Amino acid sequence: MGWLLRIVLLAAGALAALFVARDAPNFGVVEGMFAVAIIAAVVVVLALTRRK
């Protein structure tokens, strides 16, 4: 489970770095928002693919 969270945060950090500098004080907040958005997108995709 930890490796899955690490992958999500790695992707969120890369996306957040496109919009906010890594040394900005709010980088952690932006990274967290991207992580939540990624998790929500995965849940939506899984829900739509399992729907018949």
Side-chain angles (χ1 to χ4, degrees):
M1 183 78 169
W3 58 271
L4 185 62
L5 182 61
R6 189 175 298 254
I7 291 172
V8 169
L9 285 177
L10 181 69
L15 286 173
L18 292 174
F19 298 102
V20 179
R22 286 195 185 267
D23 58 348
N26 62 345
F27 181 77
V29 175
V30 175
E31 183 181 20
M33 289 190 314
F34 272 107
V36 170
I38 290 171
I39 292 170
V42 168
V43 168
V44 167
V45 167
L46 287 175
L48 291 176
T49 57
R50 298 193 187 268
R51 186 174 169 218
K52 290 187 177 183

